[in-house]
């Protein structure tokens, strides 16, 4: 097996945790021994951080693999996967590291496990630099299920920066194969809705202000639709720590979903948080693609694994997506063909079995 080891340069393109997530998930799924070097080489804190380490350990455990070099600050790991098994698997970042990113690395693997799986993921549910759990449930889930599988996502506890403390339980049954998808027809926007939340000590007024500012911003551009953004006070027993944020979803006549989201930070007004999310949503609706900029890269691994040709129409292809394509082509030996149509791109891919 040693001779067939795949060598991955962790310092190219996106140059961060995403290279690790894509390459270890595909290594696990395809039974390919893997060495990743120069992990997060260009980052201010190079090497593995707690959330990357917990993701790697989870992948190792769910296939009884061998993992070397896995410690905080390490810039090189070697991974030898074995057979993927179902059952209960736990990952805890012990920080506000994103549970959604843990889900990104583990979900494709357990899709092909020997039996049903339960993933217990602990960390931040609504954290910076990662999808919010609400995005995962409201946008990623319904779209990714078009590949022909379902999963259940139970938010036990929400956790925010800097403490984390959130917990999500994902349950899924394995499939024999994934079906290709075709997301090329955007349709017209039929609904806009969302949730603006506060947790912990933050006053409910902050949620109402975020929602109102977002609605005002969207109304300037989209006048003929009712925009329904619910302000929410997270129950005390379902949220750890303090946080605020907003997610807004646009749904289209063909079932496409787009989002804009934002999180509160110290010194940022509620209005600004609401407006940032609204502007992100509007930008995602302007590019003419059928998926938003945060969904593109999350679909690549599934497209690579699907049995047949998938097509998605995107706006400008993000660096995360280019990175996911690069490593899917290197490891899964699939081929992505971007074709430029007007200002948007259509990604075609011939998947493997």
């Amino acid at each position: 097996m040693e001779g067939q080891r795949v060598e991955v340069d962790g310092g190219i393109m996106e140059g961060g945790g995403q290279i690790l997530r894509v390459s270890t998930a595909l290594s696990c799924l395809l039974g390919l021994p893997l060495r990743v070097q120069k992990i997060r080489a260009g980052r201010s804190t190079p090497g593995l951080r707690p959330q990357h380490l917990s993701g790697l350990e989870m992948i190792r455990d769910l296939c009884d693999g061998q993992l070397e070099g896995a410690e905080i600050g390490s810039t090189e790991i070697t991974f030898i996967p074995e057979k993927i098994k179902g059952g209960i698997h736990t990952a805890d970042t012990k920080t506000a590291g994103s549970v959604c990113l843990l889900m990104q690395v583990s979900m494709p693997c357990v899709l092909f496990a020997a039996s049903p799986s339960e993933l217990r993921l602990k960390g931040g549910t609504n954290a910076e630099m990662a999808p919010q759990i609400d995005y995962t449930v409201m946008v990623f889930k319904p779209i990714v299920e078009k590949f022909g599988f379902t999963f259940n996502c139970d938010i036990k506890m929400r956790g925010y920066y800097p403490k984390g403390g959130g917990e999500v339980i994902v349950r899924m049954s394995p499939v024999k194969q994934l079906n290709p998808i075709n997301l090329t027809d955007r349709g017209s926007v039929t609904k806009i809705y969302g949730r603006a939340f506060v947790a912990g000590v933050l006053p409910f007024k902050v949620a109402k202000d975020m929602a109102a500012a977002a609605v005002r911003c969207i109304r300037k551009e989209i006048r003929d639709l009712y925009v329904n953004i619910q302000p929410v006070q997270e129950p005390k027993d379902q949220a750890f720590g303090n946080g605020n944020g907003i997610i807004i979803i646009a749904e289209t006549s063909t079932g496409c979903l787009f989002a804009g989201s934002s999180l509160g930070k110290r010194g940022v007004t509620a209005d600004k948080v609401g407006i940032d999310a609204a502007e992100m949503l509007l930008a995602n609706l302007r590019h003419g693609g059928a998926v938003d900029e945060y969904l593109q890269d999350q679909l690549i691994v599934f497209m690579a694994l699907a049995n047949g040709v998938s097509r998605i129409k995107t706006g400008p292809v993000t660096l995360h997506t280019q990175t996911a394509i690069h490593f899917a082509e290197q490891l899964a030996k699939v081929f992505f063909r971007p074709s430029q149509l007007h200002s948007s791109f259509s990604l075609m891919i011939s998947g493997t079995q």
Side-chain angles (χ1 to χ4, degrees):
M1 256 332 238
E2 189 64 22
Q4 295 170 278
R5 188 169 72 185
V6 177
E7 299 284 342
V8 161
D9 181 343
I12 63 171
M13 303 179 81
E14 177 267 347
Q18 192 211 9
I19 294 178
L20 210 53
R21 286 190 293 278
V22 172
S23 59
T24 48
L26 288 171
S27 154
C28 176
L29 279 157
L30 302 167
L32 295 168
L34 173 75
R35 180 168 68 171
V36 187
Q37 293 173 290
K38 300 184 197 160
I39 294 168
R40 302 183 69 254
R43 297 294 201 260
S44 56
T45 51
L48 296 174
R49 306 301 304 147
Q51 67 267 33
H52 307 120
L53 189 55
S54 51
L56 281 172
E57 289 170 346
M58 183 181 208
I59 296 296
R60 175 198 65 199
D61 295 345
L62 62 81
C63 73
D64 281 333
Q66 295 169 42
L67 181 62
E68 286 166 31
E71 53 204 51
I72 305 289
S74 167
T75 55
E76 181 176 324
I77 60 115
T78 308
F79 176 54
I80 301 172
E82 297 293 337
K83 189 169 165 47
I84 304 169
K85 54 184 196 197
I88 296 173
H89 303 288
T90 302
D92 185 353
T93 66
K94 301 190 173 58
T95 62
S98 169
V99 296
C100 302
L101 296 181
L102 288 174
M103 201 186 300
Q104 262 183 39
V105 68
S106 54
M107 182 182 280
C109 300
V110 294
L111 260 179
F112 295 96
S115 59
S117 302
E118 182 174 297
L119 307 173
R120 296 183 176 177
L121 311 174
K122 298 176 182 182
T125 58
N126 299 76
E128 284 291 350
M129 309 297 292
Q132 294 190 47
I133 192 64
D134 307 275
Y135 182 91
T136 300
V137 172
M138 296 164 81
V139 178
F140 172 76
K141 182 181 190 295
I143 301 293
V144 85
E145 286 180 343
K146 292 179 193 286
F147 285 102
F149 69 94
T150 58
F151 70 94
N152 177 272
C153 183
D154 184 7
I155 305 166
K156 289 282 180 212
M157 179 71 74
R158 288 172 178 271
Y160 312 99
Y161 180 81
K163 290 183 185 159
E167 181 178 8
V168 172
I169 297 181
V170 179
R171 295 182 186 89
M172 55 201 303
S173 291
V175 292
K176 289 279 177 281
Q177 63 167 49
L178 294 181
N179 307 324
I181 60 164
N182 189 334
L183 292 174
T184 51
D185 179 9
R186 196 194 82 167
S188 53
V189 178
T190 54
K191 264 190 214 161
I192 299 178
Y193 52 89
R195 77 192 298 272
F197 72 86
V198 289
V201 298
L202 291 158
F204 187 57
K205 180 180 187 305
V206 171
K208 291 197 285 199
D209 289 351
M210 288 187 296
V215 170
R216 283 195 303 273
C217 182
I218 292 167
R219 284 263 163 79
K220 287 181 192 154
E221 219 160 295
I222 300 173
R223 294 182 187 84
D224 53 348
L225 280 179
Y226 175 62
V227 181
N228 180 16
I229 303 174
Q230 294 288 322
V232 178
Q233 170 81 56
E234 303 292 8
K236 285 270 186 281
D237 59 347
Q238 288 168 34
F240 185 81
N242 308 312
N244 67 297
I246 180 170
I247 179 164
I248 318 163
I249 315 280
E251 203 173 299
T252 76
S253 53
T254 53
C256 295
L257 296 163
F258 299 84
S261 64
S262 184
L263 287 166
K265 293 193 261 309
R266 193 161 288 185
V268 180
T269 65
D271 281 28
K272 170 102 174 78
V273 178
I275 289 164
D276 285 353
E279 286 180 341
M280 185 195 290
L281 175 67
L282 293 169
N284 270 312
L285 291 173
R286 278 183 212 116
H287 62 54
V291 297
D292 73 27
E293 63 177 314
Y294 297 101
L295 194 60
Q296 338 171 336
D297 68 281
Q298 295 184 62
L299 295 178
I300 299 300
V301 168
F302 296 95
M303 290 168 75
L305 296 168
N307 194 354
V309 178
S310 292
R311 291 181 177 80
I312 60 172
K313 188 177 178 195
T314 71
V317 176
T318 65
L319 179 58
H320 271 90
T321 299
Q322 289 166 22
T323 303
I325 288 173
H326 176 90
F327 291 102
E329 289 184 333
Q330 184 189 342
L331 277 85
K333 302 287 186 268
V334 293
F335 178 62
F336 283 80
R337 196 174 79 212
S339 58
Q340 197 154 8
L341 301 166
H342 318 301
S343 64
S344 63
F345 289 80
S346 180
L347 282 176
M348 253 178 74
I349 170 168
S350 309
T352 57
Q353 277 72 268

mmCIF file with all atom_site columns, all heavy atoms in Angstrom, residues 193-214:
data_model
loop_
_atom_site.group_PDB
_atom_site.id
_atom_site.type_symbol
_atom_site.label_atom_id
_atom_site.label_alt_id
_atom_site.label_comp_id
_atom_site.label_asym_id
_atom_site.label_entity_id
_atom_site.label_seq_id
_atom_site.pdbx_PDB_ins_code
_atom_site.Cartn_x
_atom_site.Cartn_y
_atom_site.Cartn_z
_atom_site.occupancy
_atom_site.B_iso_or_equiv
_atom_site.pdbx_formal_charge
_atom_site.auth_seq_id
_atom_site.auth_comp_id
_atom_site.auth_asym_id
_atom_site.auth_atom_id
_atom_site.pdbx_PDB_model_num
ATOM 1   N N   . TYR A 1 193 ? -37.100 34.532 3.967  1.00 0.00 ? 193 TYR A N   1
ATOM 2   C CA  . TYR A 1 193 ? -37.395 34.360 5.389  1.00 0.00 ? 193 TYR A CA  1
ATOM 3   C C   . TYR A 1 193 ? -36.091 34.167 6.156  1.00 0.00 ? 193 TYR A C   1
ATOM 4   O O   . TYR A 1 193 ? -35.033 33.960 5.555  1.00 0.00 ? 193 TYR A O   1
ATOM 5   C CB  . TYR A 1 193 ? -38.324 33.159 5.601  1.00 0.00 ? 193 TYR A CB  1
ATOM 6   C CG  . TYR A 1 193 ? -37.838 31.883 4.950  1.00 0.00 ? 193 TYR A CG  1
ATOM 7   C CD1 . TYR A 1 193 ? -37.007 30.995 5.626  1.00 0.00 ? 193 TYR A CD1 1
ATOM 8   C CD2 . TYR A 1 193 ? -38.193 31.587 3.628  1.00 0.00 ? 193 TYR A CD2 1
ATOM 9   C CE1 . TYR A 1 193 ? -36.547 29.841 5.016  1.00 0.00 ? 193 TYR A CE1 1
ATOM 10  C CE2 . TYR A 1 193 ? -37.738 30.432 3.011  1.00 0.00 ? 193 TYR A CE2 1
ATOM 11  C CZ  . TYR A 1 193 ? -36.914 29.560 3.711  1.00 0.00 ? 193 TYR A CZ  1
ATOM 12  O OH  . TYR A 1 193 ? -36.457 28.426 3.092  1.00 0.00 ? 193 TYR A OH  1
ATOM 13  N N   . GLY A 1 194 ? -36.176 34.222 7.470  1.00 0.00 ? 194 GLY A N   1
ATOM 14  C CA  . GLY A 1 194 ? -34.952 34.025 8.237  1.00 0.00 ? 194 GLY A CA  1
ATOM 15  C C   . GLY A 1 194 ? -35.178 34.096 9.726  1.00 0.00 ? 194 GLY A C   1
ATOM 16  O O   . GLY A 1 194 ? -36.313 34.161 10.196 1.00 0.00 ? 194 GLY A O   1
ATOM 17  N N   . ARG A 1 195 ? -34.063 34.073 10.450 1.00 0.00 ? 195 ARG A N   1
ATOM 18  C CA  . ARG A 1 195 ? -34.129 34.204 11.909 1.00 0.00 ? 195 ARG A CA  1
ATOM 19  C C   . ARG A 1 195 ? -32.981 35.083 12.386 1.00 0.00 ? 195 ARG A C   1
ATOM 20  O O   . ARG A 1 195 ? -31.851 34.970 11.917 1.00 0.00 ? 195 ARG A O   1
ATOM 21  C CB  . ARG A 1 195 ? -34.128 32.822 12.588 1.00 0.00 ? 195 ARG A CB  1
ATOM 22  C CG  . ARG A 1 195 ? -32.812 32.104 12.666 1.00 0.00 ? 195 ARG A CG  1
ATOM 23  C CD  . ARG A 1 195 ? -32.929 30.632 13.083 1.00 0.00 ? 195 ARG A CD  1
ATOM 24  N NE  . ARG A 1 195 ? -33.486 30.369 14.401 1.00 0.00 ? 195 ARG A NE  1
ATOM 25  C CZ  . ARG A 1 195 ? -32.781 30.304 15.522 1.00 0.00 ? 195 ARG A CZ  1
ATOM 26  N NH1 . ARG A 1 195 ? -31.471 30.514 15.504 1.00 0.00 ? 195 ARG A NH1 1
ATOM 27  N NH2 . ARG A 1 195 ? -33.357 30.031 16.676 1.00 0.00 ? 195 ARG A NH2 1
ATOM 28  N N   . ALA A 1 196 ? -33.313 35.981 13.314 1.00 0.00 ? 196 ALA A N   1
ATOM 29  C CA  . ALA A 1 196 ? -32.311 36.849 13.944 1.00 0.00 ? 196 ALA A CA  1
ATOM 30  C C   . ALA A 1 196 ? -32.303 36.464 15.418 1.00 0.00 ? 196 ALA A C   1
ATOM 31  O O   . ALA A 1 196 ? -33.345 36.511 16.068 1.00 0.00 ? 196 ALA A O   1
ATOM 32  C CB  . ALA A 1 196 ? -32.705 38.311 13.773 1.00 0.00 ? 196 ALA A CB  1
ATOM 33  N N   . PHE A 1 197 ? -31.148 36.029 15.922 1.00 0.00 ? 197 PHE A N   1
ATOM 34  C CA  . PHE A 1 197 ? -31.142 35.479 17.286 1.00 0.00 ? 197 PHE A CA  1
ATOM 35  C C   . PHE A 1 197 ? -30.264 36.261 18.246 1.00 0.00 ? 197 PHE A C   1
ATOM 36  O O   . PHE A 1 197 ? -29.285 36.883 17.847 1.00 0.00 ? 197 PHE A O   1
ATOM 37  C CB  . PHE A 1 197 ? -30.670 34.015 17.257 1.00 0.00 ? 197 PHE A CB  1
ATOM 38  C CG  . PHE A 1 197 ? -29.196 33.852 16.976 1.00 0.00 ? 197 PHE A CG  1
ATOM 39  C CD1 . PHE A 1 197 ? -28.250 33.913 18.002 1.00 0.00 ? 197 PHE A CD1 1
ATOM 40  C CD2 . PHE A 1 197 ? -28.740 33.633 15.680 1.00 0.00 ? 197 PHE A CD2 1
ATOM 41  C CE1 . PHE A 1 197 ? -26.896 33.776 17.743 1.00 0.00 ? 197 PHE A CE1 1
ATOM 42  C CE2 . PHE A 1 197 ? -27.382 33.491 15.412 1.00 0.00 ? 197 PHE A CE2 1
ATOM 43  C CZ  . PHE A 1 197 ? -26.454 33.565 16.449 1.00 0.00 ? 197 PHE A CZ  1
ATOM 44  N N   . VAL A 1 198 ? -30.657 36.213 19.512 1.00 0.00 ? 198 VAL A N   1
ATOM 45  C CA  . VAL A 1 198 ? -29.772 36.629 20.603 1.00 0.00 ? 198 VAL A CA  1
ATOM 46  C C   . VAL A 1 198 ? -29.719 35.481 21.609 1.00 0.00 ? 198 VAL A C   1
ATOM 47  O O   . VAL A 1 198 ? -30.678 34.728 21.766 1.00 0.00 ? 198 VAL A O   1
ATOM 48  C CB  . VAL A 1 198 ? -30.223 37.922 21.322 1.00 0.00 ? 198 VAL A CB  1
ATOM 49  C CG1 . VAL A 1 198 ? -30.026 39.129 20.435 1.00 0.00 ? 198 VAL A CG1 1
ATOM 50  C CG2 . VAL A 1 198 ? -31.660 37.812 21.810 1.00 0.00 ? 198 VAL A CG2 1
ATOM 51  N N   . ALA A 1 199 ? -28.580 35.348 22.280 1.00 0.00 ? 199 ALA A N   1
ATOM 52  C CA  . ALA A 1 199 ? -28.407 34.306 23.296 1.00 0.00 ? 199 ALA A CA  1
ATOM 53  C C   . ALA A 1 199 ? -27.671 34.893 24.480 1.00 0.00 ? 199 ALA A C   1
ATOM 54  O O   . ALA A 1 199 ? -26.878 35.831 24.339 1.00 0.00 ? 199 ALA A O   1
ATOM 55  C CB  . ALA A 1 199 ? -27.611 33.148 22.711 1.00 0.00 ? 199 ALA A CB  1
ATOM 56  N N   . GLY A 1 200 ? -27.943 34.331 25.657 1.00 0.00 ? 200 GLY A N   1
ATOM 57  C CA  . GLY A 1 200 ? -27.232 34.771 26.861 1.00 0.00 ? 200 GLY A CA  1
ATOM 58  C C   . GLY A 1 200 ? -27.742 36.110 27.349 1.00 0.00 ? 200 GLY A C   1
ATOM 59  O O   . GLY A 1 200 ? -28.948 36.337 27.428 1.00 0.00 ? 200 GLY A O   1
ATOM 60  N N   . VAL A 1 201 ? -26.815 37.018 27.637 1.00 0.00 ? 201 VAL A N   1
ATOM 61  C CA  . VAL A 1 201 ? -27.194 38.286 28.286 1.00 0.00 ? 201 VAL A CA  1
ATOM 62  C C   . VAL A 1 201 ? -27.661 39.356 27.303 1.00 0.00 ? 201 VAL A C   1
ATOM 63  O O   . VAL A 1 201 ? -28.093 40.427 27.718 1.00 0.00 ? 201 VAL A O   1
ATOM 64  C CB  . VAL A 1 201 ? -25.998 38.869 29.107 1.00 0.00 ? 201 VAL A CB  1
ATOM 65  C CG1 . VAL A 1 201 ? -25.592 37.910 30.219 1.00 0.00 ? 201 VAL A CG1 1
ATOM 66  C CG2 . VAL A 1 201 ? -24.806 39.181 28.202 1.00 0.00 ? 201 VAL A CG2 1
ATOM 67  N N   . LEU A 1 202 ? -27.575 39.081 26.006 1.00 0.00 ? 202 LEU A N   1
ATOM 68  C CA  . LEU A 1 202 ? -27.922 40.128 25.042 1.00 0.00 ? 202 LEU A CA  1
ATOM 69  C C   . LEU A 1 202 ? -29.430 40.379 25.006 1.00 0.00 ? 202 LEU A C   1
ATOM 70  O O   . LEU A 1 202 ? -30.220 39.438 25.006 1.00 0.00 ? 202 LEU A O   1
ATOM 71  C CB  . LEU A 1 202 ? -27.424 39.741 23.646 1.00 0.00 ? 202 LEU A CB  1
ATOM 72  C CG  . LEU A 1 202 ? -25.895 39.761 23.530 1.00 0.00 ? 202 LEU A CG  1
ATOM 73  C CD1 . LEU A 1 202 ? -25.418 38.910 22.383 1.00 0.00 ? 202 LEU A CD1 1
ATOM 74  C CD2 . LEU A 1 202 ? -25.404 41.188 23.345 1.00 0.00 ? 202 LEU A CD2 1
ATOM 75  N N   . PRO A 1 203 ? -29.820 41.661 24.981 1.00 0.00 ? 203 PRO A N   1
ATOM 76  C CA  . PRO A 1 203 ? -31.255 41.986 25.016 1.00 0.00 ? 203 PRO A CA  1
ATOM 77  C C   . PRO A 1 203 ? -31.976 41.593 23.717 1.00 0.00 ? 203 PRO A C   1
ATOM 78  O O   . PRO A 1 203 ? -31.385 41.626 22.639 1.00 0.00 ? 203 PRO A O   1
ATOM 79  C CB  . PRO A 1 203 ? -31.281 43.505 25.215 1.00 0.00 ? 203 PRO A CB  1
ATOM 80  C CG  . PRO A 1 203 ? -29.944 43.995 24.801 1.00 0.00 ? 203 PRO A CG  1
ATOM 81  C CD  . PRO A 1 203 ? -28.971 42.870 25.019 1.00 0.00 ? 203 PRO A CD  1
ATOM 82  N N   . PHE A 1 204 ? -33.245 41.223 23.853 1.00 0.00 ? 204 PHE A N   1
ATOM 83  C CA  . PHE A 1 204 ? -34.075 40.805 22.713 1.00 0.00 ? 204 PHE A CA  1
ATOM 84  C C   . PHE A 1 204 ? -34.166 41.906 21.652 1.00 0.00 ? 204 PHE A C   1
ATOM 85  O O   . PHE A 1 204 ? -34.280 41.638 20.464 1.00 0.00 ? 204 PHE A O   1
ATOM 86  C CB  . PHE A 1 204 ? -35.470 40.427 23.224 1.00 0.00 ? 204 PHE A CB  1
ATOM 87  C CG  . PHE A 1 204 ? -36.339 39.826 22.160 1.00 0.00 ? 204 PHE A CG  1
ATOM 88  C CD1 . PHE A 1 204 ? -35.929 38.695 21.456 1.00 0.00 ? 204 PHE A CD1 1
ATOM 89  C CD2 . PHE A 1 204 ? -37.575 40.374 21.859 1.00 0.00 ? 204 PHE A CD2 1
ATOM 90  C CE1 . PHE A 1 204 ? -36.738 38.126 20.468 1.00 0.00 ? 204 PHE A CE1 1
ATOM 91  C CE2 . PHE A 1 204 ? -38.393 39.809 20.872 1.00 0.00 ? 204 PHE A CE2 1
ATOM 92  C CZ  . PHE A 1 204 ? -37.970 38.687 20.177 1.00 0.00 ? 204 PHE A CZ  1
ATOM 93  N N   . LYS A 1 205 ? -34.061 43.167 22.095 1.00 0.00 ? 205 LYS A N   1
ATOM 94  C CA  . LYS A 1 205 ? -34.125 44.301 21.173 1.00 0.00 ? 205 LYS A CA  1
ATOM 95  C C   . LYS A 1 205 ? -33.066 44.172 20.065 1.00 0.00 ? 205 LYS A C   1
ATOM 96  O O   . LYS A 1 205 ? -33.286 44.575 18.923 1.00 0.00 ? 205 LYS A O   1
ATOM 97  C CB  . LYS A 1 205 ? -33.912 45.613 21.949 1.00 0.00 ? 205 LYS A CB  1
ATOM 98  C CG  . LYS A 1 205 ? -33.954 46.864 21.067 1.00 0.00 ? 205 LYS A CG  1
ATOM 99  C CD  . LYS A 1 205 ? -33.745 48.137 21.874 1.00 0.00 ? 205 LYS A CD  1
ATOM 100 C CE  . LYS A 1 205 ? -33.949 49.397 21.056 1.00 0.00 ? 205 LYS A CE  1
ATOM 101 N NZ  . LYS A 1 205 ? -33.128 49.462 19.831 1.00 0.00 ? 205 LYS A NZ  1
ATOM 102 N N   . VAL A 1 206 ? -31.917 43.594 20.386 1.00 0.00 ? 206 VAL A N   1
ATOM 103 C CA  . VAL A 1 206 ? -30.847 43.404 19.395 1.00 0.00 ? 206 VAL A CA  1
ATOM 104 C C   . VAL A 1 206 ? -31.337 42.514 18.250 1.00 0.00 ? 206 VAL A C   1
ATOM 105 O O   . VAL A 1 206 ? -31.092 42.786 17.079 1.00 0.00 ? 206 VAL A O   1
ATOM 106 C CB  . VAL A 1 206 ? -29.581 42.802 20.068 1.00 0.00 ? 206 VAL A CB  1
ATOM 107 C CG1 . VAL A 1 206 ? -28.543 42.380 19.025 1.00 0.00 ? 206 VAL A CG1 1
ATOM 108 C CG2 . VAL A 1 206 ? -28.968 43.806 21.047 1.00 0.00 ? 206 VAL A CG2 1
ATOM 109 N N   . ALA A 1 207 ? -32.077 41.462 18.590 1.00 0.00 ? 207 ALA A N   1
ATOM 110 C CA  . ALA A 1 207 ? -32.628 40.572 17.560 1.00 0.00 ? 207 ALA A CA  1
ATOM 111 C C   . ALA A 1 207 ? -33.632 41.327 16.677 1.00 0.00 ? 207 ALA A C   1
ATOM 112 O O   . ALA A 1 207 ? -33.614 41.213 15.448 1.00 0.00 ? 207 ALA A O   1
ATOM 113 C CB  . ALA A 1 207 ? -33.297 39.358 18.204 1.00 0.00 ? 207 ALA A CB  1
ATOM 114 N N   . LYS A 1 208 ? -34.499 42.106 17.318 1.00 0.00 ? 208 LYS A N   1
ATOM 115 C CA  . LYS A 1 208 ? -35.502 42.868 16.560 1.00 0.00 ? 208 LYS A CA  1
ATOM 116 C C   . LYS A 1 208 ? -34.834 43.904 15.650 1.00 0.00 ? 208 LYS A C   1
ATOM 117 O O   . LYS A 1 208 ? -35.239 44.094 14.505 1.00 0.00 ? 208 LYS A O   1
ATOM 118 C CB  . LYS A 1 208 ? -36.493 43.548 17.519 1.00 0.00 ? 208 LYS A CB  1
ATOM 119 C CG  . LYS A 1 208 ? -37.376 42.523 18.221 1.00 0.00 ? 208 LYS A CG  1
ATOM 120 C CD  . LYS A 1 208 ? -38.613 43.134 18.854 1.00 0.00 ? 208 LYS A CD  1
ATOM 121 C CE  . LYS A 1 208 ? -38.278 43.878 20.131 1.00 0.00 ? 208 LYS A CE  1
ATOM 122 N NZ  . LYS A 1 208 ? -39.463 44.103 20.991 1.00 0.00 ? 208 LYS A NZ  1
ATOM 123 N N   . ASP A 1 209 ? -33.762 44.551 16.151 1.00 0.00 ? 209 ASP A N   1
ATOM 124 C CA  . ASP A 1 209 ? -33.056 45.560 15.354 1.00 0.00 ? 209 ASP A CA  1
ATOM 125 C C   . ASP A 1 209 ? -32.338 44.938 14.153 1.00 0.00 ? 209 ASP A C   1
ATOM 126 O O   . ASP A 1 209 ? -32.348 45.495 13.056 1.00 0.00 ? 209 ASP A O   1
ATOM 127 C CB  . ASP A 1 209 ? -32.042 46.325 16.227 1.00 0.00 ? 209 ASP A CB  1
ATOM 128 C CG  . ASP A 1 209 ? -32.728 47.267 17.221 1.00 0.00 ? 209 ASP A CG  1
ATOM 129 O OD1 . ASP A 1 209 ? -33.955 47.443 17.109 1.00 0.00 ? 209 ASP A OD1 1
ATOM 130 O OD2 . ASP A 1 209 ? -32.036 47.822 18.099 1.00 0.00 ? 209 ASP A OD2 1
ATOM 131 N N   . MET A 1 210 ? -31.711 43.785 14.359 1.00 0.00 ? 210 MET A N   1
ATOM 132 C CA  . MET A 1 210 ? -31.036 43.093 13.241 1.00 0.00 ? 210 MET A CA  1
ATOM 133 C C   . MET A 1 210 ? -32.055 42.752 12.159 1.00 0.00 ? 210 MET A C   1
ATOM 134 O O   . MET A 1 210 ? -31.825 42.986 10.970 1.00 0.00 ? 210 MET A O   1
ATOM 135 C CB  . MET A 1 210 ? -30.354 41.804 13.716 1.00 0.00 ? 210 MET A CB  1
ATOM 136 C CG  . MET A 1 210 ? -29.117 42.004 14.555 1.00 0.00 ? 210 MET A CG  1
ATOM 137 S SD  . MET A 1 210 ? -28.243 40.440 14.904 1.00 0.00 ? 210 MET A SD  1
ATOM 138 C CE  . MET A 1 210 ? -29.414 39.521 15.894 1.00 0.00 ? 210 MET A CE  1
ATOM 139 N N   . ALA A 1 211 ? -33.191 42.199 12.579 1.00 0.00 ? 211 ALA A N   1
ATOM 140 C CA  . ALA A 1 211 ? -34.237 41.786 11.633 1.00 0.00 ? 211 ALA A CA  1
ATOM 141 C C   . ALA A 1 211 ? -34.777 42.989 10.860 1.00 0.00 ? 211 ALA A C   1
ATOM 142 O O   . ALA A 1 211 ? -34.901 42.957 9.625  1.00 0.00 ? 211 ALA A O   1
ATOM 143 C CB  . ALA A 1 211 ? -35.361 41.068 12.374 1.00 0.00 ? 211 ALA A CB  1
ATOM 144 N N   . ALA A 1 212 ? -35.080 44.058 11.592 1.00 0.00 ? 212 ALA A N   1
ATOM 145 C CA  . ALA A 1 212 ? -35.671 45.257 10.957 1.00 0.00 ? 212 ALA A CA  1
ATOM 146 C C   . ALA A 1 212 ? -34.700 45.880 9.951  1.00 0.00 ? 212 ALA A C   1
ATOM 147 O O   . ALA A 1 212 ? -35.094 46.263 8.846  1.00 0.00 ? 212 ALA A O   1
ATOM 148 C CB  . ALA A 1 212 ? -36.056 46.276 12.034 1.00 0.00 ? 212 ALA A CB  1
ATOM 149 N N   . ALA A 1 213 ? -33.428 45.977 10.314 1.00 0.00 ? 213 ALA A N   1
ATOM 150 C CA  . ALA A 1 213 ? -32.426 46.568 9.417  1.00 0.00 ? 213 ALA A CA  1
ATOM 151 C C   . ALA A 1 213 ? -32.267 45.714 8.157  1.00 0.00 ? 213 ALA A C   1
ATOM 152 O O   . ALA A 1 213 ? -32.150 46.244 7.040  1.00 0.00 ? 213 ALA A O   1
ATOM 153 C CB  . ALA A 1 213 ? -31.085 46.703 10.138 1.00 0.00 ? 213 ALA A CB  1
ATOM 154 N N   . ALA A 1 214 ? -32.288 44.406 8.323  1.00 0.00 ? 214 ALA A N   1
ATOM 155 C CA  . ALA A 1 214 ? -32.160 43.501 7.172  1.00 0.00 ? 214 ALA A CA  1
ATOM 156 C C   . ALA A 1 214 ? -33.354 43.649 6.239  1.00 0.00 ? 214 ALA A C   1
ATOM 157 O O   . ALA A 1 214 ? -33.201 43.719 5.015  1.00 0.00 ? 214 ALA A O   1
ATOM 158 C CB  . ALA A 1 214 ? -32.036 42.059 7.662  1.00 0.00 ? 214 ALA A CB  1
#
